[in-house]
């Protein structure tokens, strides 16, 4: 970069563990962003009050102190980075980093320096350690000369870091000259009072505001949510979490469609932990229309100085709006809020119903990602996505009323959102296309061919709408997405699946020379183009078959069905249909794919291992196994498919040489 410098693999240290990211320095200041996405930590050059370099084992550490008293430590710099970055900071920002030395003697006797919110223990002229007073929950005397500091339980420690700082004791003798006291106040008491004056560290610290009896879905339970000056506390009978505002990355305000609740999601840069379970998102469920009135427990001086322009003395309004305003104000305005974007479902909501890992929920397509709620809360940023793929599943003789959305990430992880209603296909497809996300091209497998035909029929058909899924365009406000989704998507999803068994039936009829399917009563429309595509359609078709036999015996023409033949198809009551193309029974059998050879070989094994498993689950299980197989494991089936393709090509060549082109061209496959 010509206007700045970038350093990769820089670690941000703290009580929440170490996190790797990228540090950028430019004339405007310094910024650090976590690798893979997360909270952006920025320092404007006017907010930086001090910079320090320190040599630590195997690397260098850059310390940054801001005006608000916060101190951040970044490690991972090389020897040559120190001189280059120091020169750049001096010329572009106007600050000179100070070099500090680390004491490695192991001595525990030295001096204490209190600077802002930092306590530094020094051995001679070198630094032994330092701790942030913002992490101290309690300070108390132990006897005459000992002072103990207790630290907040670190809910933000990552799972693989077992140790956490809990408490620390200092012995301050009466001969100490740094904290001079008297007979009534020994030096240890003076030291304690000095720290107490730097913040609200006593046991009686009161919250700024409390929201009682809030329903939280993860971690599940009813909590009293307390907003303190520097942290958020979730307090229940069995659980107690404390979350520093600096650990909050973003807030999401997401109303639930057609329900009187709103999700307020507190997304954390480092998850809180309960036992061995990590919670990167705290999901609050608030009543959308609930109105609250809250008065803040803050002094006038604090409102006029520290929170000037950020907080008001009191608030009245909807509970989710009041909560987010106060939380953002207490954090200094650094927390960003995300609301629903431009996406609208067919019901004019902000999300579509789906399921993830057998859990029902809703999927929110946002401006910069997808968010599945409530459990497991899953946030997927667009930048993390490699591609998306639509998958359609249905058993023979059933209506395809749902589809799945597969999201493949760049790190090879996959998320499969299942059971999305078919009338949401167009809206989701247009949203994904508008965001520039890659949609996986359909391949050669039968399932992918069905999916491609599914899409094409949605675009073409508009006259076979299933009443159960019909959309009232006027009632949903006529949103722009209705024009692309609407009734067209409803009309074709069932027709695609119902058509499959009808094809098999038509082949059987052609081979046995039974023309019953061509003589159907005019009231039979249950199966789209083929009324015998489902069990109910076949039952309705039985009287038609008897009638057709009677007609054949009495030599009555087929026009008794009152249908008019046209060049393009058949008209029934003003409705035009495409004529079904006939397949020659003498045509060679199509080549079988490698996946179908695998499915035929493993289907019975899956049935034996899972008694009572449904047809759909068998197909899905086979597909999952096939995806996980290596190239070597697939090789036998690929060889079988190659041999069958060769067989088909030879048979097709012979067939085309013997059969007139008009018959060959009638193959609908």
């Amino acid at each position: 970069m010509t206007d700045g410098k970038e350093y990769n693999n820089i670690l941000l240290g703290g009580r929440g563990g170490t996190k790797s990211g990228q540090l950028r320095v430019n004339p405007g200041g310094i910024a650090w962003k976590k690798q893979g996405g997360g909270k952006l930590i920025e320092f404007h050059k006017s907010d930086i009050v001090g910079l320090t370099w320190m040599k630590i084992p195997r690397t260098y550490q850059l310390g940054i102190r801001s005006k608000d008293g916060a101190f951040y430590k970044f490690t991972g710099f090389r020897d040559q980075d120190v001189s280059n970055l120091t020169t750049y900071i001096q010329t572009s920002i106007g600050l000179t980093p100070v070099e500090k030395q680390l004491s490695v003697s192991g001595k525990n006797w030295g001096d204490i320096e209190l600077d802002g919110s930092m306590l530094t223990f020094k051995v001679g002229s070198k630094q032994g350690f330092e701790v942030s007073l913002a992490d101290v929950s309690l300070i108390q005397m132990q006897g005459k000369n000992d002072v103990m500091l207790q630290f907040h339980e670190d809910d933000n420690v990552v799972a693989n870091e077992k140790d956490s700082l809990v408490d620390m004791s200092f012995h301050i003798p009466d001969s100490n000259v740094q904290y001079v006291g008297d007979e009534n106040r020994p030096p240890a008491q003076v030291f304690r009072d000095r720290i107490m004056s730097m913040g609200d560290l006593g046991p009686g610290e009161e919250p700024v505001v409390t929201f009682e009896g809030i329903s939280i879905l993860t971690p599940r339970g009813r909590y009293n949510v307390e907003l303190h000056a520097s942290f958020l506390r979730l307090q229940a009978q069995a659980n107690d979490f404390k979350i520093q505002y600096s650990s909050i990355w973003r807030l999401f305000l997401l109303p639930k469609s057609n329900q009187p609740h709103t999700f307020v999601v507190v997304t954390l840069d480092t998850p809180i932990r309960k036992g061995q379970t990590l919670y990167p998102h705290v999901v609050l469920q608030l009543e959308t229309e609930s109105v609250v009135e809250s008065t803040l427990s803050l002094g006038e001086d604090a409102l006029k100085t520290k929170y000037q322009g950020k907080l008001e003395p009191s608030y009245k309004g909807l509970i989710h709006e009041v909560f987010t305003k106060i939380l953002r104000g207490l954090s200094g305005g650094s927390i960003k809020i995300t609301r629903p974007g431009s996406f609208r479902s067919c019901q004019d909501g902000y999300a579509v119903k789906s399921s993830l890992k057998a859990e029902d929920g809703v999927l929110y397509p946002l401006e910069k990602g997808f968010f599945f709620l409530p459990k497991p809360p899953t946030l997927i940023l667009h930048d993390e996505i490699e591609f998306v793929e639509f998958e359609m599943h249905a058993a023979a003789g059933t209506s395809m009323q749902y589809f799945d959305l597969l999201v493949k990430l760049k790190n090879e992880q996959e998320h499969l959102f299942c059971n999305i209603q078919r009338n949401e296909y167009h809206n989701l497809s247009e949203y994904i296309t508008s965001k520039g996300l890659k949609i996986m091209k359909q391949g050669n497998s039968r399932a992918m061919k069905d999916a491609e035909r599914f899409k094409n029929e949605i675009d073409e058909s508009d006259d076979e709408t299933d009443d159960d899924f019909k959309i009232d365009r006027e009632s949903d406000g006529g949103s722009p997405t209705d024009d692309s989704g609407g009734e067209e998507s409803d009309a074709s999803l069932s027709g695609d699946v119902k058509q499959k068994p009808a094809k098999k039936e038509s082949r059987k009829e052609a081979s046995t020379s039974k023309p019953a399917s061509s003589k159907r009563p005019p009231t039979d429309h249950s199966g789209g183009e083929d009324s015998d595509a489902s069990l109910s359609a076949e039952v309705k078709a039985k009287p038609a078959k008897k009638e057709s036999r009677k007609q054949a015996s009495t030599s009555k023409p087929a026009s008794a069905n009152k249908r008019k033949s046209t060049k393009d198809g058949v008209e029934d009551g003003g409705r035009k249909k495409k004529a079904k193309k006939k397949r020659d029974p003498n045509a060679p059998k199509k080549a079988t794919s490698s996946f179908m050879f695998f499915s035929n070989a493993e289907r019975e094994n899956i049935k034996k291992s899972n008694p009572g498993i449904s047809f759909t689950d068998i197909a899905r299980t086979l597909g999952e196994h096939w995806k996980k197989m290596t190239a070597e494991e697939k090789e036998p089936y690929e060889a079988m498919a190659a041999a069958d393709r060769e067989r088909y090509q030879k048979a097709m060549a012979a067939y085309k040489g013997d059969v007139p082109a008009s018959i060959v061209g009638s193959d609908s496959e």
Side-chain angles (χ1 to χ4, degrees):
M1 293 178 59
T2 57
D3 58 345
K5 291 183 176 294
E6 293 184 357
Y7 299 90
N8 296 318
N9 300 320
I10 301 301
L11 304 178
L12 169 63
R15 296 186 72 232
T18 55
K19 293 161 281 189
S20 179
Q22 182 186 68
L23 185 112
R24 297 180 182 179
V25 184
N26 56 54
I30 302 174
W32 180 89
K33 186 174 183 180
K34 182 180 176 182
Q35 183 177 357
K39 186 175 183 180
L40 178 67
I41 298 177
E42 295 179 286
F43 307 91
H44 191 271
K45 65 179 182 179
S46 60
D47 295 329
I48 301 175
V49 297
L51 296 168
T52 59
W53 281 115
M54 180 181 291
K55 174 65 176 177
I56 62 175
R58 297 185 296 276
T59 185
Y60 278 86
Q61 172 184 289
L62 175 64
I64 303 177
R65 189 185 302 275
S66 61
K67 279 184 178 180
D68 58 5
F71 184 73
Y72 294 85
K73 295 177 284 187
F74 300 94
T75 62
F77 295 95
R78 301 168 298 175
D79 293 348
Q80 59 268 34
D81 296 334
V82 176
S83 57
N84 294 336
L85 187 53
T86 298
T87 302
Y88 182 82
I89 291 176
Q90 289 174 335
T91 56
S92 62
I93 299 181
L95 296 173
T96 301
V98 178
E99 186 173 353
K100 298 173 67 175
Q101 293 183 328
L102 179 66
S103 174
V104 294
S105 64
K107 294 182 179 180
N108 63 344
W109 189 268
D111 299 323
I112 294 176
E113 289 185 358
L114 299 176
D115 183 10
S117 63
M118 298 301 298
L119 182 153
T120 305
F121 184 82
K122 304 189 69 175
V123 179
S125 60
K126 298 181 179 180
Q127 176 179 305
F129 62 85
E130 60 185 358
V131 294
S132 172
L133 296 179
D135 294 330
V136 179
S137 62
L138 179 65
I139 179 170
Q140 59 185 8
M141 297 289 296
Q142 288 187 323
K144 180 181 178 182
N145 300 108
D146 293 335
V147 178
M148 184 184 71
L149 274 65
Q150 289 186 359
F151 295 87
H152 294 294
E153 182 179 351
D154 194 3
D155 297 315
N156 297 105
V157 169
V158 293
N160 59 352
E161 297 193 16
K162 304 295 183 181
D163 300 326
S164 178
L165 182 61
V166 176
D167 58 55
M168 182 181 293
S169 294
F170 295 93
H171 177 79
I172 304 176
D174 292 336
S175 58
N176 182 278
V177 296
Q178 185 179 5
Y179 302 99
V180 180
D182 52 34
E183 295 181 357
N184 298 324
R185 295 179 69 240
Q189 182 71 40
V190 176
F191 171 71
R192 174 188 176 278
D193 294 343
R194 181 80 61 84
I195 296 179
M196 290 286 293
S197 65
M198 293 181 177
D200 297 327
L201 303 176
E205 179 184 2
E206 294 294 330
V208 174
V209 65
T210 300
F211 298 87
E212 297 182 352
I214 300 300
S215 175
I216 296 183
L217 305 183
T218 57
R220 191 170 184 82
R222 282 201 171 270
Y223 293 79
N224 289 336
V225 181
E226 299 178 354
L227 300 182
H228 292 253
S230 60
F231 62 90
L232 179 152
R233 184 180 183 186
L234 308 177
Q235 189 176 25
Q237 186 173 0
N239 300 309
D240 194 344
F241 298 95
K242 176 178 176 291
I243 303 171
Q244 296 285 346
Y245 292 145
S246 58
S247 300
I248 300 176
W249 171 43
R250 189 177 291 268
L251 288 174
F252 291 86
L253 264 68
L254 304 174
K256 298 178 68 175
S257 300
N258 303 321
Q259 294 192 35
H261 294 99
T262 294
F263 289 129
V264 177
V265 185
V266 182
T267 299
L268 307 177
D269 188 39
T270 304
I272 60 175
R273 182 176 61 183
K274 179 182 177 182
Q276 296 301 316
T277 305
L278 299 177
Y279 295 95
H281 307 281
V282 178
V283 182
L284 292 75
Q285 182 173 261
L286 305 178
E287 294 184 8
T288 303
E289 301 298 329
S290 177
V291 177
V292 296
E293 186 172 2
S294 301
T295 301
L296 306 187
S297 299
L298 290 173
E300 294 184 3
D301 294 339
L303 289 171
K304 292 180 179 179
T305 55
K306 183 177 180 180
Y307 301 108
Q308 176 69 33
K310 299 175 182 177
L311 288 175
E312 301 292 335
S314 62
Y315 288 87
K316 182 178 181 179
L318 299 176
I319 184 171
H320 57 273
E321 295 288 351
V322 172
F323 175 81
T324 52
K325 287 179 181 179
I326 298 176
L327 176 57
R328 195 166 187 268
L330 290 172
S331 68
S334 60
I335 301 176
K336 296 180 180 180
I337 299 177
T338 297
R339 300 175 186 270
S342 58
F343 175 85
R344 294 295 182 272
S345 68
C346 286
Q347 287 73 36
D348 201 30
Y350 303 107
V352 296
K353 292 181 179 180
S354 65
S355 59
L356 177 64
K357 298 179 180 178
E359 294 286 348
D360 293 334
V362 288
L363 179 65
Y364 289 87
L366 305 175
E367 290 301 310
K368 295 184 179 180
F370 293 93
F371 208 159
F372 180 84
L373 293 169
K375 181 182 179 182
T378 304
L379 177 63
I380 305 174
L381 301 179
H382 289 161
D383 294 340
E384 303 173 340
I385 297 176
E386 179 71 21
F387 65 83
V388 299
E389 182 177 356
F390 291 97
E391 297 183 355
M392 291 73 192
H393 301 283
T398 64
S399 175
M400 188 180 295
Q401 300 175 357
Y402 303 95
F403 66 91
D404 300 345
L405 178 66
L406 175 67
V407 180
K408 178 72 174 291
L409 305 186
K410 295 177 181 178
N411 62 3
E412 302 300 324
Q413 186 178 3
E414 294 183 353
H415 297 282
L416 183 62
F417 301 100
C418 303
N419 302 327
I420 303 175
Q421 289 188 359
R422 62 186 186 181
N423 53 4
E424 303 291 357
Y425 175 83
H426 270 299
N427 294 346
L428 275 176
S429 179
E430 289 188 353
Y431 162 81
I432 292 171
T433 303
S434 68
K435 299 304 178 183
L437 300 177
K438 178 182 177 182
I439 300 179
M440 175 57 67
K441 300 297 183 182
Q442 305 298 338
N444 296 322
S445 69
R446 183 180 297 273
M448 289 184 174
K449 285 184 178 180
D450 292 342
E452 182 65 22
R453 187 165 63 251
F454 158 84
K455 178 181 181 299
N456 293 336
E457 292 193 0
I458 284 181
D459 296 333
E460 294 175 359
S461 61
D462 60 358
D463 60 344
E464 295 293 330
T465 304
D466 190 348
D467 292 338
D468 293 338
F469 293 86
K470 188 172 182 179
I471 300 172
D472 186 352
R473 295 177 184 266
E474 297 180 358
S475 64
D476 63 7
S479 62
T481 55
D482 292 338
D483 296 334
S484 60
E487 297 182 2
E488 292 185 359
S489 62
D490 296 338
S492 58
L493 270 137
S494 63
D496 182 59
V497 182
K498 293 179 179 180
Q499 203 171 7
K500 294 177 184 177
K503 289 180 179 179
K504 295 180 180 179
E505 181 67 22
S506 65
R507 294 170 189 162
K508 181 179 179 181
E509 291 170 354
S511 63
T512 57
S513 302
K514 293 183 180 180
S517 61
S518 64
K519 301 178 181 180
R520 287 171 283 189
T523 57
D524 185 6
H525 305 298
S526 60
E529 295 184 4
D530 300 303
S531 64
D532 54 353
S534 64
L535 179 60
S536 60
E538 291 176 0
V539 174
K540 293 180 181 179
K542 287 181 179 179
K545 292 182 179 179
K546 294 180 179 179
E547 180 67 21
S548 65
R549 296 191 185 106
K550 182 178 179 181
Q551 291 172 356
S553 62
T554 57
S555 302
K556 291 184 179 180
S559 60
N561 284 331
K562 297 182 180 180
R563 295 191 178 189
K564 298 179 181 180
S565 299
T566 65
K567 181 179 179 181
D568 297 329
V570 178
E571 291 183 352
D572 182 9
R575 179 174 296 176
K576 185 176 181 180
K577 294 185 178 181
K578 293 182 179 180
K580 181 181 175 182
K581 297 179 181 179
K582 296 182 179 180
R583 173 182 172 88
D584 186 1
N586 298 319
K589 181 182 178 181
K590 285 224 167 184
T592 303
S593 67
S594 56
F595 173 72
M596 289 307 299
F597 277 114
F598 164 77
S599 299
N600 294 335
E602 294 295 327
R603 186 175 289 106
E604 292 302 323
N605 294 335
I606 293 177
K607 288 182 179 180
K608 292 179 181 179
S609 302
N610 303 274
I613 188 171
S614 66
F615 180 86
T616 304
D617 291 337
I618 293 175
R620 183 167 299 178
T621 303
L622 288 170
E624 292 174 353
H625 288 180
W626 179 256
K627 288 182 180 180
K628 295 178 182 179
M629 290 174 62
T630 63
E632 291 78 6
E633 293 172 334
K634 293 181 180 180
E635 186 174 357
Y637 305 105
E638 299 288 357
M640 296 168 66
D644 199 44
R645 280 196 300 271
E646 183 178 357
R647 186 271 312 163
Y648 174 72
Q649 291 171 357
K650 292 180 180 179
M652 198 65 185
Y655 170 75
K656 289 183 177 180
D658 298 336
V659 181
S662 60
I663 299 180
V664 176
S666 67
D667 187 359
S668 62
E669 294 291 320

